[in-house]
């Protein structure tokens, strides 16, 4: 999906014997701008505290980039909210090295290296301990390790990557399928898609690209332009790029009304200053200090700051609902209204009246420029995870799988001093010399800290945070269908689809929007020759209440998964009518069910 997709397995915090920091998966999407279609969320206006060196804000360029935005801090002065973090749903991986799937009466082994082969040994201490190896946690760890900090990333699951993790499974004939947990559409990451910015001496707008540049790591990228949409009455191909969408023979000519092009162009003109500001803001806010010496870092970015400031009062629209921009331009065309509502939901799991203009501004600027393109990491999303893990390790850090954090231990002053970790069936204490950062979800992180630790002010602040977590709504769940299929005779189709079942229902209603990804159409190495790998999922609209009282692994649980996945099968049959007869490998998962 989009930003929402990115949040679907967890959100998150962080603690330090200085601050407790929170890096949510929603924040990860904002920081990485890449998970699924929502790799395009804007970072506009987000700020967080830079890492410290000897108690002072860091001066180096890498350190100034600091942890991904969206921080909460637990300092010597108690619990501090640096930034209000919006999170939606929770989940936690289940450590496992090998499992067996029984499909059609045939046992099928998961292809998995041993835990020890993937994991570093668990150190007894580190400068910064990071809970969770999702994109946010790994970006944070990679930047800190490149800045000279001894980083230890602790992952409960057997695979690194959180919602971006990948795994392999063997087909009946011995071929290997590569499956992905979440991401579908990427942009702004390949050398081709960032070529113009580099030629102009500008940093990339995508913060994940900036992180990879800062730590001198990368993936091999494959570029393309077209994805598909399955609407109630038609299936269409949609290409990124301004001319492809609004030019002769483009989507607006095919599906829009007589005034569609004028309304679309009016919207882009209205959004132009917001697009420019949204693209410049991530660069500026990622590097500014937050102490009295802020002017030192502002000087370097003075041209960008002046460029943003010239738009004056209109910048206030960045923090207003995108629906206000739609009303200001008086958009009436049904196709455009439906299209913008779908993009809003894919980006952040909300209709356009709940999506910030800054988010849509970034996406419109990225997808509808003339040289727009989509990117795919060769080998799948796991290639991004591998690059970040390599960076941490080459700079002296450790990334440990099968390390489940049981508790964040605070000292007498309310500072995070240790983590109690369950690893290899043993309880171990790991010391945090500078900080603890959590890329787990908010609710799990809250539960990691026992009540009544530290000083009275710290306890009060923590209770305030805990109460806010209790009041925060979670999004609905996700259903995932992973398939390995025979590909012979399948006509040429796009590698990804967004599916809308009914425009008359609210876009966020149960089962109304689904995502289908067939990454082997982009990168054939994702599946054996003559085969395809497929990931279909309901986009954060599977009712959690249906699963609340069903025991995982029970016959009732399996039956419910089968029933609730039928909507995904029906969507797939719109593009591959005989798909059920092609299946070699099948996995149905509810959120958190790996």
């Amino acid at each position: 999906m989009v930003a929402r997709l990115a949040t679907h397995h967890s959100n998150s915090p962080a603690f330090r014997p200085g601050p407790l920091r929170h890096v949510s998966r929603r924040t990860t999407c904002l920081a990485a701008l890449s998970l699924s279609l929502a790799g395009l969320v804007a970072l506009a206006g987000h700020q967080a505290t830079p890492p410290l060196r000897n108690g002072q804000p860091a001066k180096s360029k890498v350190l100034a980039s600091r942890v991904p935005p969206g921080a909460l801090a637990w300092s010597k002065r108690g619990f501090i909210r640096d930034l209000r973090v919006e999170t939606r749903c929770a989940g936690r991986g289940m450590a496992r090295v090998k499992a067996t799937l029984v499909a059609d009466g045939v046992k099928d082994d998961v292809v998995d290296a041993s835990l020890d082969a993937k994991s570093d040994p668990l150190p007894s201490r580190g400068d910064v301990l990071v809970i969770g190896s999702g994109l946010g946690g790994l970006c944070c760890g990679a930047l800190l390790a490149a800045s000279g900090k001894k980083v230890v990333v602790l992952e409960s699951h057997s695979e690194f990557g959180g919602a971006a993790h990948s795994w392999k499974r063997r087909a009946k004939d011995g071929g290997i399928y590569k499956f992905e947990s979440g991401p579908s559409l990427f942009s702004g990451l390949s050398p081709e898609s960032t070529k113009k910015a580099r030629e102009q001496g500008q940093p990339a707008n995508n913060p994940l690209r900036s992180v990879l540049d800062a730590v001198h790591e990368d993936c091999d990228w494959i570029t393309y332009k077209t994805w598909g949409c399955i609407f109630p009455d038609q299936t269409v191909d949609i290409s990124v790029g301004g001319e492809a969408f609004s030019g002769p023979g483009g989507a607006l000519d095919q599906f829009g009304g007589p005034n569609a092009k004028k309304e679309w162009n009016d919207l882009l003109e209205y959004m132009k200053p917001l697009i420019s500001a949204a693209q410049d803001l991530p660069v500026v806010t990622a590097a500014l200090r937050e102490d009295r010496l802020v002017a030192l870092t502002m000087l370097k970015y003075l041209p960008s700051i002046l460029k943003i400031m010239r738009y004056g009062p209109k910048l206030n629209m960045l923090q207003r609902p995108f629906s206000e921009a739609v009303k200001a331009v008086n958009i009436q065309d049904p196709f455009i209204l439906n299209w913008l509502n779908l993009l809003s939901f894919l980006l952040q799991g909300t209709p356009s009246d709940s999506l910030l203009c800054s988010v849509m501004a970034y996406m419109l600027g990225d997808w509808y420029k003339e040289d727009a393109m989509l990117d795919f990491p060769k080998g799948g999303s796991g290639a991004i995870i591998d690059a970040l893990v390599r960076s941490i390790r080459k700079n002296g850090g450790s990334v440990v799988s099968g390390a489940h954090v049981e508790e964040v231990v605070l000292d007498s002053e309310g500072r995070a001093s240790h983590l109690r970790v369950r690893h290899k069936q043993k309880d171990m204490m790991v010391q945090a010399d500078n900080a603890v950062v959590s890329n787990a979800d908010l609710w799990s992180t809250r539960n990691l800290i026992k009540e009544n630790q530290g000083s009275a002010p710290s306890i009060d602040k923590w209770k305030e945070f805990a109460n806010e977590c209790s009041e925060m709504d979670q999004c609905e769940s996700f259903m995932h269908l992973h398939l390995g299929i025979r590909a012979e005779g399948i006509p040429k189709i796009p590698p990804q689809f967004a599916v809308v079942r009914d425009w008359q229902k609210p876009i966020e209603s149960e089962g109304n929007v689904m995502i289908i990804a067939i990454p082997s159409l982009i990168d054939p190495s994702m599946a054996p020759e003559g085969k395809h790998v497929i990931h279909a999922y309901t986009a954060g609209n599977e009712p959690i209440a249906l699963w609340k009282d069903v025991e995982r692994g029970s016959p009732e649980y399996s039956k419910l998964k089968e029933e609730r996945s039928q909507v995904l099968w029906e969507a797939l049959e719109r593009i591959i009518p005989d798909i059920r007869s092609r299946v070699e490998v099948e996995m149905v998962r509810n959120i958190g069910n790996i």
Side-chain angles (χ1 to χ4, degrees):
M1 178 182 151
V2 190
R4 186 111 173 251
L5 244 270
T7 83
H8 83 274
H9 279 291
S10 70
N11 307 281
S12 348
F15 328 81
R16 66 154 45 228
L20 155 63
R21 304 208 170 281
H22 178 275
V23 183
S24 76
R25 182 127 326 107
R26 170 62 49 80
T27 299
T28 302
C29 282
L30 296 176
L33 301 183
S34 70
L35 283 201
S36 274
L37 180 78
L40 309 173
V41 182
L43 255 180
H46 282 234
Q47 299 184 19
T49 306
L52 303 182
R53 184 174 298 235
N54 298 324
Q56 298 298 321
K59 297 181 179 180
S60 75
K61 181 177 180 181
V62 172
L63 274 173
S65 297
R66 85 259 124 110
V67 301
L72 299 171
W74 191 285
S75 73
K76 293 181 179 179
R77 296 181 298 279
F79 193 72
I80 304 169
R81 181 166 48 253
D82 291 329
L83 172 66
R84 192 173 189 84
V85 179
E86 180 184 1
T87 61
R88 291 277 173 153
C89 59
R92 180 161 57 192
M94 297 164 58
R96 183 174 63 184
V97 179
K98 188 168 183 175
T100 298
L101 172 72
V102 178
D104 299 324
V106 179
K107 287 189 175 182
D108 183 32
D109 289 334
V110 176
V111 179
D112 235 357
S114 71
L115 194 64
D116 288 337
K118 297 179 180 181
S119 177
D120 293 318
L122 179 61
S124 61
R125 66 191 303 166
D127 293 333
V128 180
L129 309 183
V130 180
I131 304 172
S133 66
L135 274 176
L138 290 176
C139 284
C140 171
L143 289 172
L144 289 171
S147 305
K149 295 293 184 181
K150 182 179 178 182
V151 173
V152 181
V153 180
L154 303 166
E155 172 57 50
S156 181
H157 196 270
S158 61
E159 302 284 349
F160 302 134
H165 85 272
S166 59
W167 71 99
K168 300 175 183 178
R169 197 175 286 277
R170 191 182 305 279
K172 297 174 184 178
D173 62 1
I176 303 299
Y177 288 100
K178 298 179 182 177
F179 290 98
E180 301 182 290
S181 177
S184 299
L185 288 169
F186 301 80
S187 71
L189 290 166
S190 69
E192 291 85 352
S193 63
T194 58
K195 180 179 179 181
K196 186 174 181 180
R198 295 174 189 275
E199 289 176 345
Q200 297 174 352
Q202 298 175 349
N205 289 324
N206 188 322
L208 177 58
R209 177 70 267 166
S210 296
V211 171
L212 292 170
D213 289 342
V215 300
H216 306 293
E217 284 289 351
D218 205 355
C219 314
D220 292 328
W221 298 94
I222 303 170
T223 61
Y224 61 106
K225 284 182 171 288
T226 302
W227 59 299
C229 291
I230 302 175
F231 297 145
D233 56 347
Q234 58 191 336
T235 299
V236 301
D237 294 352
I238 302 288
S239 295
V240 296
E243 191 69 15
F245 187 78
S246 59
L252 292 183
D253 273 351
Q254 296 180 61
F255 314 115
N259 296 321
K261 284 190 176 181
K262 180 182 183 305
E263 291 183 7
W264 181 259
N265 290 332
D266 288 347
L267 176 65
L268 293 184
E269 186 63 28
Y270 180 88
M271 294 292 292
K272 187 180 293 184
L274 302 180
I275 290 171
S276 179
Q279 291 179 338
D280 286 336
L281 273 172
V283 176
V284 175
T285 59
L288 294 184
R289 300 172 68 123
E290 295 186 351
D291 61 4
R292 59 189 177 186
L293 299 178
V294 62
L296 294 179
T297 46
M298 285 183 67
L299 289 175
K300 181 178 180 179
Y301 297 97
L302 189 59
S304 293
I305 294 172
L306 293 176
K307 181 181 177 182
I308 293 169
M309 291 178 63
R310 69 182 179 178
Y311 299 120
K314 194 167 185 179
L315 288 179
N316 293 330
M317 276 297 294
L318 285 172
Q319 298 301 310
R320 302 297 302 163
F322 176 63
S323 58
E324 293 185 12
V326 173
K327 291 177 182 177
V329 181
N330 194 29
I331 300 291
Q332 299 292 324
D333 184 81
F335 173 74
I336 295 179
L337 289 172
N338 285 335
W339 182 248
L340 293 174
N341 217 24
L342 173 61
L343 291 183
S344 296
F345 185 75
L346 293 176
L347 281 165
Q348 201 161 312
T350 62
S352 61
D353 60 359
S354 301
L355 183 79
L356 292 180
C357 266
S358 59
V359 177
M360 185 60 80
Y362 185 97
M363 203 231 71
L364 291 175
D366 194 63
W367 268 28
Y368 297 105
K369 59 186 180 183
E370 289 311 312
D371 58 347
M373 63 185 67
L374 299 170
D375 302 322
F376 186 79
K378 186 172 177 58
S381 57
I384 300 174
I385 301 305
D386 290 344
L388 294 169
V389 171
R390 281 197 307 271
S391 173
I392 293 170
R393 287 173 170 167
K394 76 181 181 184
N395 287 300
S398 302
V399 188
V400 186
S401 59
H404 181 69
V405 176
E406 301 279 356
E407 181 182 359
V408 176
V409 180
L410 307 183
D411 64 17
S412 60
E413 297 182 5
R415 301 177 300 176
S417 62
H418 293 79
L419 295 181
R420 184 166 61 84
V421 180
R422 184 72 174 170
H423 183 58
K424 294 185 177 180
Q425 300 181 338
K426 296 180 181 179
D427 281 334
M428 305 175 66
M429 296 295 288
V430 183
Q431 181 173 321
D433 292 335
N434 294 148
V436 173
V437 177
S438 179
N439 190 210
D441 63 83
L442 274 177
W443 300 273
S444 295
T445 302
R446 172 197 60 191
N447 294 335
L448 289 176
I449 298 184
K450 308 304 180 186
E451 292 186 22
N452 301 320
Q453 292 192 71
S455 61
S458 295
I459 293 172
D460 291 341
K461 289 293 184 181
W462 179 254
K463 287 182 178 179
E464 179 184 342
F465 168 60
N467 289 335
E468 289 186 359
C469 289
S470 299
E471 296 170 359
M472 193 173 298
D473 292 332
Q474 299 184 29
C475 73
E476 297 292 2
S477 185
F478 287 68
M479 282 300 303
H480 300 267
L481 178 61
H482 298 278
L483 301 174
I485 69 168
R486 297 186 302 276
E488 70 275 3
I490 295 177
K492 185 178 180 180
I493 55 177
Q496 293 107 352
F497 291 86
V499 183
V500 181
R501 299 175 68 197
D502 190 344
W503 289 119
Q504 303 307 313
K505 293 182 179 180
I507 196 72
E508 70 275 21
S509 62
E510 178 181 331
N512 199 29
V513 175
M514 290 164 281
I515 306 298
I516 297 171
I518 314 175
S520 50
L521 284 169
I522 308 170
D523 178 5
S525 72
M526 298 290 289
E529 185 176 356
K531 311 290 178 66
H532 280 319
V533 62
I534 296 177
H535 180 199
Y537 48 96
T538 56
N541 48 39
E542 173 68 9
I544 292 177
L546 291 176
W547 301 85
K548 186 176 180 181
D549 298 320
V550 183
E551 182 181 354
R552 186 186 300 272
S554 66
E556 292 77 15
Y557 186 79
S558 298
K559 182 180 178 181
L560 186 58
K561 286 202 299 182
E562 179 69 19
E563 292 174 354
R564 300 302 298 177
S565 66
Q566 291 309 304
V567 66
L568 298 170
W569 283 106
E570 292 167 6
L572 284 166
E573 287 171 334
R574 292 279 301 273
I575 54 175
I576 308 176
D578 62 345
I579 188 167
R580 294 182 194 245
S581 66
R582 295 173 175 269
V583 173
E584 292 190 343
V585 175
E586 175 184 349
M587 291 168 282
V588 181
R589 300 188 302 129
N590 177 249
I591 181 172
N593 176 37
I594 305 302

